[in-house]
Amino acid sequence: MAKEEAIFKGTKEGLLIILDDRREFRLVLEKLRAKLEAARGFFQGAQVIVDTGQRKLSGKQKKALERLINSQTGLKLKGFSSSERSGENLEEEAPAGSGEDAAKPAAAAAEEPLSPWPHGTVSNLPTLILKRNLRCGQRVNFAGHVLVLGDVNPGAEIVAEGNVIVLGALRGLVHAGAAGDQEAFVAAYRLEPSQLRIAGVFTRAPDGETAAPQDRPEIARLRDGLVIIESALANPSLALLPKAR
Amino acid sequence: MGEAIVITSGKGGVGKTTTTANLGTALALMERRVVLVDADIGLRNLDVVMGLENRIVYDLVDVTSGVCRLKQALIKDKRFNENLFLLPAAQTKDKTAVTPEQMKALTGELKAEYDYVLVDCPAGIEQGFRNAIAGADRAIVVTTPEVSAVRDADRIIGLLEASEMPEVQLLINRIRPSMVKRGDMMDIDDIIDILAIDLIGVVPEDDKIVVSTNRGEPTVLDANSRAGQAFRNIARRITGEQVPLMPLEAEHGFMERVKQLFGFGR
């Protein structure tokens, strides 16, 4: 199935609109207009960033987008982002041959647009770092990622709009992507939460005796509306850089 | 200058008062000057456990509200020549009758005179808890090997850390080695794994505690009691001595003792 012409995402900075970079611009613009009309008033007061992916916009196209977005009540276009722009840091790591990469099928990972989280490999959401144990009755609520250098004990709670990473035992309640981000994940050195929530999906620890605890990092994320837990070690997507260079 | 130690737990019924009475008595037996403070205002019973109930004239609230001088309210335990005193709680008031500032001043005054001020904290995390920890230099968190008690201990440790208690140590009470062995009870490692604080001692379940509590004679006075031995060890650790944990596997039957006598057993 082809992806949608225009995808809306809520981010910390405001509304992110991702435009399909493969389809004709006029068509995409039309779709976006229809979508914005349909959602009239819903995004009241939002700052908008338009992600154009691999497409290079002409001045005229930019103008058209700006007109369309600013014409909606309460919306304000803040800027554009594209794969070329946000990839600055990564380009240093891969100096040569990036032009050829595009031609190679093996370089699929490198082609992924490096737009803001969750679509790319980089997230610039703010991160809260806790250098202590989170104990029963203690609660952390944060509009970004949460990194705990310690344990999260039963009865403690972490609610984060981004991802949650625990370098220790996670035994409490954790909610990643609390603002609705379905791509959010929870990773822990020992993943034994009493309850785990990602976006709107809730799961809880199985009843009865569980296997003996093992110190093996695991990661939980959503796949087809279900929380899937897998070893974080075997997971290539945890690698910082795209593979196949 | 002495040290003020609060005995706390969060959950009720895990043995705070028993611990306070036994550690205080053990320290007094070691010729330290000790005062026990019952901070459980309205539900006092440290005096009962110590067998000093009928000698109460003034109480803690009388001292903080200026009805009497501190010296007048202290009850001397005659069994321990001038080494052990009790400041009883008021029975007719409630926790709001005292403020944390008053408790701080009170423990400060007691520390000047005594080597150890042991404060018996009420259950819960409200005002009574705030009062009890106010003047303490060290906290001993008592828990039993039950999930609910450990959970509450964790909560308490979090609150103690938040209030910047300089030293927090764990005492595991009422452990039953045979049940742990069968896997029916949380073991020490499970508890330490969750609570992640220093262990000051483990006290085995002991029927003698019930008897001694009812009689008003702390168990440490009984040379044959396992729990008494454990409390004596903990008292020595409080004074800074290095004492190894005693083996818990000591629910020996008669035959085993005989074997041990002849050098066969462990």
Side-chain angles (χ1 to χ4, degrees):
Chain A
M1 210 206 95
K3 75 174 187 182
E4 279 193 82
E5 290 87 352
I7 298 166
F8 289 40
K9 290 266 177 189
T11 70
K12 185 87 205 324
E13 280 77 26
L15 182 65
L16 175 71
I17 301 177
I18 303 154
L19 299 181
D20 186 357
D21 51 15
R22 305 247 160 74
R23 259 172 269 194
E24 213 188 318
F25 183 74
R26 196 178 47 79
L27 186 83
V28 172
L29 199 67
E30 242 3 87
K31 271 278 179 211
L32 177 62
R33 187 191 307 279
K35 271 196 149 183
L36 283 171
E37 294 288 343
R40 181 183 288 279
F42 185 73
F43 299 115
Q44 207 61 259
Q47 302 254 318
V48 179
I49 294 177
V50 175
D51 183 350
T52 56
Q54 306 264 311
R55 189 203 301 274
K56 262 223 148 76
L57 289 184
S58 70
K60 225 169 122 188
Q61 288 174 323
K62 277 190 178 169
K63 271 268 161 55
L65 264 172
E66 208 175 331
R67 256 205 316 279
L68 170 62
I69 288 165
N70 289 342
S71 73
Q72 301 294 316
T73 40
L75 287 189
K76 175 125 186 45
L77 183 64
K78 207 166 86 179
F80 294 90
S81 84
S82 69
S83 53
E84 283 134 316
R85 276 235 324 255
S86 55
E88 280 164 7
N89 290 334
L90 279 139
E91 243 138 38
E92 288 175 16
E93 315 272 345
S98 53
E100 296 161 24
D101 272 356
K104 284 189 228 157
E111 274 182 48
E112 269 176 23
L114 294 168
S115 51
W117 199 261
H119 315 281
T121 49
V122 175
S123 165
N124 57 5
L125 269 185
T127 301
L128 178 73
I129 301 178
L130 288 166
K131 277 199 255 179
R132 61 180 173 95
N133 294 332
L134 215 57
R135 296 188 180 275
C136 176
Q138 297 176 332
R139 182 187 159 99
V140 168
N141 209 331
F142 189 66
H145 309 303
V146 175
L147 172 60
V148 183
L149 304 176
D151 294 342
V152 179
N153 281 356
E157 291 179 30
I158 297 180
V159 178
E161 289 188 12
N163 308 310
V164 178
I165 301 168
V166 179
L167 297 184
L170 169 48
R171 304 189 183 94
L173 182 153
V174 60
H175 191 173
D181 183 357
Q182 306 242 338
E183 308 286 324
F185 66 78
V186 176
Y189 194 60
R190 205 194 277 177
L191 189 66
E192 302 167 334
S194 55
Q195 202 182 91
L196 191 150
R197 310 175 182 169
I198 296 177
V201 182
F202 291 33
T203 56
R204 63 181 176 83
D207 287 327
E209 287 291 300
T210 47
Q214 39 192 324
D215 284 333
R216 190 165 52 91
E218 289 181 312
I219 181 166
R221 63 179 112 206
L222 283 187
R223 197 161 295 162
D224 302 323
L226 289 174
V227 174
I228 306 286
I229 294 175
E230 33 194 10
S231 166
L233 294 177
N235 202 317
S237 63
L238 269 195
L240 283 175
L241 288 171
K243 280 184 166 179
R245 294 242 174 211
Chain B
M1 191 67 173
E3 188 183 16
I5 304 173
V6 60
I7 319 293
T8 181
S9 73
K11 190 174 181 299
V14 297
K16 285 180 297 296
T17 301
T18 308
T19 299
T20 310
N22 279 289
L23 292 182
T25 306
L27 286 165
L29 287 172
M30 294 163 69
E31 298 297 321
R32 300 298 202 285
R33 284 173 57 76
V34 182
V35 59
L36 308 177
V37 178
D38 190 348
D40 202 347
I41 299 162
L43 285 170
R44 73 176 181 208
N45 44 35
L46 185 54
D47 51 309
V48 180
V49 174
M50 293 299 296
L52 298 171
E53 187 187 13
N54 53 11
R55 299 183 44 204
I56 296 175
V57 179
Y58 296 112
D59 58 45
L60 192 151
V61 176
D62 291 329
V63 175
T64 54
S65 57
V67 172
C68 70
R69 282 174 293 113
L70 180 55
K71 279 263 158 61
Q72 290 176 292
L74 291 177
I75 300 168
K76 181 166 65 179
D77 193 326
K78 288 185 176 144
R79 291 169 290 187
F80 310 101
N81 38 347
E82 305 288 323
N83 281 333
L84 187 61
F85 291 81
L86 169 72
L87 179 58
Q91 188 70 291
T92 52
K93 315 275 182 4
D94 65 30
K95 267 81 182 172
T96 56
V98 183
T99 65
E101 289 71 31
Q102 288 174 325
M103 282 299 288
K104 213 169 174 174
L106 183 75
T107 47
E109 208 177 319
L110 289 169
K111 265 174 18 179
E113 287 263 336
Y114 297 88
D115 297 325
Y116 292 100
V117 181
L118 301 188
V119 183
D120 184 19
C121 179
I125 54 172
E126 294 82 18
Q127 170 102 34
F129 168 73
R130 299 267 158 226
N131 288 341
I133 67 167
D137 308 305
R138 180 187 337 193
I140 293 179
V141 177
V142 181
T143 188
T144 55
E146 289 160 82
V147 175
S148 56
V150 172
R151 188 71 61 92
D152 288 0
D154 190 41
R155 179 98 170 88
I156 285 293
I157 294 165
L159 293 171
L160 290 169
E161 284 172 351
S163 62
E164 287 169 359
M165 180 66 66
E167 203 175 354
V168 183
Q169 291 166 309
L170 182 70
L171 190 156
I172 302 175
N173 197 13
R174 308 189 64 174
I175 202 149
R176 292 162 74 171
S178 56
M179 283 186 76
V180 172
K181 225 171 175 181
R182 268 182 278 136
D184 293 337
M185 186 176 254
M186 291 176 91
D187 71 14
I188 299 167
D189 290 341
D190 294 340
I191 299 169
I192 301 280
D193 192 33
I194 289 181
L195 298 180
I197 59 169
D198 285 341
L199 182 70
I200 195 163
V202 181
V203 180
E205 173 88 79
D206 189 342
D207 291 346
K208 287 183 174 141
I209 290 275
V210 180
V211 181
S212 66
T213 300
N214 290 341
R215 285 201 193 135
E217 290 171 2
T219 322
V220 288
L221 298 173
D222 181 349
N224 295 321
S225 162
R226 302 273 308 154
Q229 178 62 49
F231 280 124
R232 285 194 294 273
N233 287 349
I234 293 166
R236 286 166 67 193
R237 290 187 198 109
I238 287 177
T239 65
E241 249 183 87
Q242 297 284 331
V243 185
L245 283 180
M246 65 184 208
L248 285 174
E249 312 260 324
E251 291 195 346
H252 295 313
F254 173 69
M255 274 315 287
E256 228 170 319
R257 272 196 214 153
V258 172
K259 273 190 208 161
Q260 233 171 11
L261 200 64
F262 292 104
F264 297 119
R266 277 170 296 166

